[in-house]
Amino acid sequence: MSPTYDPNDNEAGMKLLEDLTTYAYQVQQQVLAEILTRNIHTEYLRSFLNGHSDKKTFKEKVPVVDYEDVKPYIERIANGEPSEIISAQPITELLTSSGTSGGQPKMMPSTAEDLDRKTFFYNLLVPVMNKYVEGLDQGKGMYLLFIKPEILTPSGLMARPVLTSYYKSNYFINRPFNRFNVYTSPDETILCPDSKQSMYCQLLCGLVQRDEVLRAGAVFASAFLRAIKFLEDYWIELCSNIRAGHISDWITDPSCRKAVSLILCKPCSDLADLIEYECGSKSWEGIIKKLWPKTKYIEVIVTGSMAQYIPTLEFYSGGLPLVSTMYASSECYLGINLKPLSKPSDVSYTLLPNMAYFEFLLVEKNLEEESEKIQCNSARMEIVDLVDVKPGHYYELVVTTFTGLYRYRVGDILMVTGFHNNAPQFRFVHRRNVVLSIDTDKTNEEDLLNAVTQAKCRLLEPLGFLLTEYTSYADTSSIPGHYVLYWELKMKGNNDLPELDHSVMERCCSIVEDSLDSVYRRCRKKDNSIGPLEIRVVKQGTFDALMDFCVFQGSSVNQYKTPRCIKSDEAIEILNARVMGRFFSKTVPFWEPFRMLA
């Protein structure tokens, strides 16, 4: 289902996209038929279909499932049972998701063939960009790409994030030359396991090749901003390396040193002087355009939770377009932005019908309460096919993949914005139940409640404190961003304002962090992509004022409940105006790569 074509042939690439979207219905039927025919004898499908591989039986018998439903099957494979439990093709690795189950990353099955689909997907991004931006084959992309920790499961399968899987595969390392996708970062710097050395080396290579850079970016907006903050901290040393023509001694990874030395091959005082002049100025507004003057756009994901970084990116970018090219997940790669130069708020993704079989659960948005519920029809979920969604409606994405997931709820809430030919286009709204996110972390309301409860029960209640209300927000005004919790406290038995002990409150911050999931703790400890958690204790009556504000904005006083995450600037101002104490976690939470239990 992944046609081959020359990725340097833009016309062929655009024709493929037109064919796929024009015949979206037919392609989807072929995809489902191929998946069912191939996997009909797996233990999972056999238990529901009893040998029938038609679409009608599939829809009637195979249930729509969450991760907890398929987790036992995946764990059996991780512990050594054969792939035929869920997939006729051998499962070659498990892809760890940024979502969690029981505090640990979810694991998605993957096969060798799946890398073909991902390569096909990446190749289709090129003709779309070339349609809107000329001359991309005349220079390089400064893309800051990184790998994450990985582990071996008891069966010997590797478990790792999807991008780490791709960057370490032969599809990436031995990729054919494509004049539109030449990077400033040598592969050795991308594959360096030390994130600090990797960042330093990639920025150094990007600065040395500044006159060749036509586009810059990272996968997520948060990662690109971390690179800017890193540049702020290390520009003097980077300039020293460029002036001397020699990389710093603390870069000890031999592959990095060798690869960078081939680029930093001679002293360049003029370049070092220029970078010092720009980085030494009072304001870094527009620094990307100043350091890399030929850059045409910045490629980062700025949809979903990453939208919170748009103002900061615009400050540094100097007016460059912010481009979100693709929509993908650990389950499968999904859609392409066919109008990449559109404003971030207008970005829609066209789902490619050959990547998986797509279904959609209708979601009724309650905009007043910022909540949603799945609609039911005759006591069953109302679920529709790809071509049957309706513009303006909200849906939760359900996928059946080539790799062993069947009618699986991804957890993404999407809104249909229109159609390209016969393929619908979607705006990513948010993850189901997620309330806080800074980087790849996704903290839902239940996990936040559990973490707050741990601190409350272990520290506050024994001292006679009552936590009467709380809410939160993701503070991205600094780099890296961090979680902020607002707590309203009082003493048991009276309404006196509690006397706050700094050490106790700092320990509360640490307990909350220790109680959050492994992805959050990895971002805090390993990636340094999230800053220390903060608790702001507010005066009594603050949450009454918050309720008054929300009711004034249109919420029903009878149905009002305190939002567990605040996104309104005005609401945050109300809370901040009543803060009587601010406390930060003084310790880094415990984290190590998760271990499978055999």
Side-chain angles (χ1 to χ4, degrees):
M1 299 305 296
S2 298
T4 57
Y5 78 103
D6 180 359
N8 291 294
D9 188 339
N10 289 318
E11 185 177 344
M14 292 307 298
K15 185 178 186 307
L16 258 178
L17 277 171
E18 289 300 299
D19 288 345
L20 286 171
T21 54
T22 298
Y23 300 103
Y25 173 81
Q26 292 88 339
V27 173
Q28 280 281 275
Q29 305 316 301
Q30 293 171 14
V31 165
L32 181 59
E34 182 175 339
I35 291 173
L36 294 181
T37 301
R38 180 186 296 179
N39 298 293
I40 191 66
H41 298 299
T42 59
E43 177 185 322
Y44 186 86
L45 283 183
R46 192 170 62 243
S47 67
F48 298 111
L49 296 179
N50 194 28
H52 298 281
S53 61
D54 59 285
K55 178 180 176 180
K56 183 175 183 293
T57 305
F58 171 77
K59 293 269 195 178
E60 291 178 349
K61 300 296 184 181
V62 177
V64 175
V65 295
D66 287 305
Y67 183 73
E68 292 303 319
D69 299 306
V70 300
K71 180 180 177 182
Y73 298 91
I74 294 173
E75 288 188 339
R76 285 169 58 190
I77 294 169
N79 285 320
E81 294 192 46
S83 301
E84 286 81 2
I85 293 172
I86 58 174
S87 172
Q89 288 194 322
I91 291 171
T92 53
E93 62 183 340
L94 297 169
L95 304 178
T96 54
S97 166
S98 56
T100 60
S101 171
Q104 298 292 358
K106 297 176 182 177
M107 295 186 296
M108 303 300 165
S110 184
T111 64
E113 181 195 66
D114 202 36
L115 287 166
D116 285 325
R117 275 182 289 274
K118 289 168 183 170
T119 301
F120 167 81
F121 186 95
Y122 282 126
N123 286 340
L124 276 184
L125 299 176
V126 175
V128 175
M129 284 309 309
N130 285 330
K131 180 180 177 182
Y132 291 91
V133 182
E134 294 183 356
L136 293 180
D137 58 336
Q138 303 301 311
K140 299 181 179 181
M142 189 185 71
Y143 290 120
L144 304 168
L145 310 173
F146 307 92
I147 61 172
K148 301 287 186 181
E150 53 191 358
I151 69 158
L152 277 176
T153 65
S155 67
L157 289 178
M158 193 69 74
R160 54 193 174 189
V162 61
L163 291 174
T164 298
S165 162
Y166 188 75
Y167 298 150
K168 298 187 82 168
S169 73
N170 286 327
Y171 288 80
F172 181 78
I173 296 171
N174 297 318
R175 60 195 180 277
F177 175 76
N178 181 342
R179 64 182 186 273
F180 296 101
N181 274 335
V182 181
Y183 303 141
T184 59
S185 295
D187 290 353
E188 293 85 351
T189 64
I190 295 171
L191 298 173
C192 177
D194 185 313
S195 58
K196 182 178 178 182
Q197 293 190 53
S198 174
M199 178 76 84
Y200 188 91
C201 291
Q202 291 192 62
L203 283 172
L204 182 56
C205 291
L207 288 168
V208 171
Q209 301 170 86
R210 70 183 292 266
D211 289 330
E212 298 179 75
V213 173
L214 298 183
R215 55 203 187 280
V219 176
F220 295 108
S222 55
F224 192 73
L225 289 174
R226 278 203 313 280
I228 294 175
K229 178 63 167 61
F230 192 95
L231 182 60
E232 285 187 89
D233 294 338
Y234 285 91
W235 65 266
I236 294 175
E237 185 176 349
L238 288 161
C239 287
S240 176
N241 286 181
I242 294 170
R243 181 170 283 110
H246 178 78
I247 191 170
S248 294
D249 291 340
W250 64 269
I251 303 297
T252 57
D253 185 284
S255 296
C256 279
R257 289 195 69 87
K258 182 178 180 181
V260 175
S261 295
L262 294 175
I263 295 172
L264 185 66
C265 55
K266 62 181 180 180
C268 190
S269 296
D270 290 345
L271 176 59
D273 290 342
L274 185 150
I275 296 168
E276 281 186 345
Y277 174 78
E278 296 295 356
C279 293
S281 64
K282 291 182 179 180
S283 173
W284 270 38
E285 184 173 2
I287 192 68
I288 301 301
K289 191 68 174 174
K290 292 174 182 176
L291 291 178
W292 294 280
K294 296 180 182 178
T295 305
K296 299 173 181 287
Y297 60 87
I298 296 175
E299 184 175 333
V300 286
I301 293 174
V302 287
T303 51
S305 64
M306 291 295 131
Q308 61 193 324
Y309 295 107
I310 291 171
T312 310
L313 281 169
E314 289 175 337
F315 173 82
Y316 289 117
S317 69
L320 292 169
L322 304 178
V323 173
S324 291
T325 59
M326 58 181 281
Y327 169 38
S329 70
S330 300
E331 292 83 356
C332 64
Y333 281 26
L334 300 158
I336 288 177
N337 179 6
L338 297 182
K339 294 182 178 179
L341 296 184
S342 57
K343 294 179 181 179
S345 58
D346 296 331
V347 168
S348 291
Y349 300 102
T350 303
L351 266 61
L352 299 186
N354 65 323
M355 299 306 293
Y357 181 68
F358 299 115
E359 296 176 276
F360 299 86
L361 285 168
L362 182 62
V363 172
E364 182 184 82
K365 291 289 292 183
N366 185 337
L367 297 179
E368 180 178 293
E369 307 239 353
E370 295 185 349
S371 63
E372 66 271 329
K373 62 180 180 178
I374 303 300
Q375 286 300 285
C376 296
N377 182 12
S378 302
R380 295 175 60 190
M381 295 181 183
E382 186 174 335
I383 188 165
V384 297
D385 285 347
L386 177 69
V387 297
D388 295 325
V389 296
K390 298 178 180 178
H393 287 217
Y394 293 83
Y395 298 91
E396 182 183 348
L397 178 62
V398 176
V399 297
T400 295
T401 71
F402 290 92
T403 57
L405 297 175
Y406 308 98
R407 308 197 87 187
Y408 178 83
R409 296 174 66 173
V410 174
D412 291 353
I413 306 299
L414 311 174
M415 188 191 79
V416 185
T417 57
F419 282 78
H420 179 79
N421 296 325
N422 294 309
Q425 299 177 304
F426 296 88
R427 177 169 62 86
F428 181 92
V429 181
H430 59 76
R431 289 280 298 173
R432 175 164 49 100
N433 299 330
V434 169
V435 295
L436 286 171
S437 180
I438 294 289
D439 189 46
T440 55
D441 55 301
K442 294 179 175 66
T443 298
N444 61 39
E445 189 169 325
E446 182 181 355
D447 289 343
L448 179 62
L449 172 61
N450 174 65
V452 170
T453 301
Q454 289 293 320
K456 178 182 70 172
C457 294
R458 289 166 59 182
L459 286 180
L460 296 182
E461 291 182 351
L463 296 175
F465 289 166
L466 288 177
L467 175 60
T468 58
E469 269 296 3
Y470 74 91
T471 190
S472 64
Y473 92 103
D475 184 350
T476 56
S477 60
S478 59
I479 302 170
H482 70 290
Y483 288 9
V484 175
L485 306 185
Y486 294 94
W487 286 9
E488 187 172 317
L489 302 171
K490 71 175 185 177
M491 298 298 295
K492 290 180 181 177
N494 60 60
N495 291 321
D496 294 339
L497 293 175
E499 191 171 322
L500 302 175
D501 184 296
H502 266 76
S503 63
V504 170
M505 296 307 301
E506 287 167 357
R507 285 171 60 201
C508 282
C509 295
S510 296
I511 289 175
V512 171
E513 286 200 303
D514 285 330
S515 304
L516 292 172
D517 66 39
S518 68
V519 178
Y520 173 90
R521 289 181 280 114
R522 187 203 72 206
C523 289
R524 272 281 282 130
K525 183 176 181 178
K526 171 71 175 175
D527 302 342
N528 297 313
S529 59
I530 299 179
L533 181 139
E534 177 185 3
I535 292 175
R536 298 179 187 175
V537 177
V538 297
K539 298 175 182 178
Q540 290 186 31
T542 295
F543 280 84
D544 291 336
L546 179 64
M547 181 182 71
D548 291 342
F549 168 77
C550 292
V551 170
F552 180 76
Q553 294 294 309
S555 295
S556 167
V557 68
N558 295 320
Q559 296 180 325
Y560 175 81
K561 61 180 180 179
T562 301
R564 292 309 173 204
C565 180
I566 298 292
K567 293 180 169 51
S568 160
D569 290 339
E570 295 93 332
I572 291 171
E573 286 180 12
I574 290 170
L575 295 167
N576 283 338
R578 293 163 171 80
V579 171
M580 53 185 290
R582 297 178 61 180
F583 311 92
F584 292 86
S585 174
K586 296 296 184 183
T587 60
V588 177
F590 172 80
W591 175 85
E592 64 178 17
F594 74 98
R595 292 288 184 266
M596 288 294 302
L597 297 177

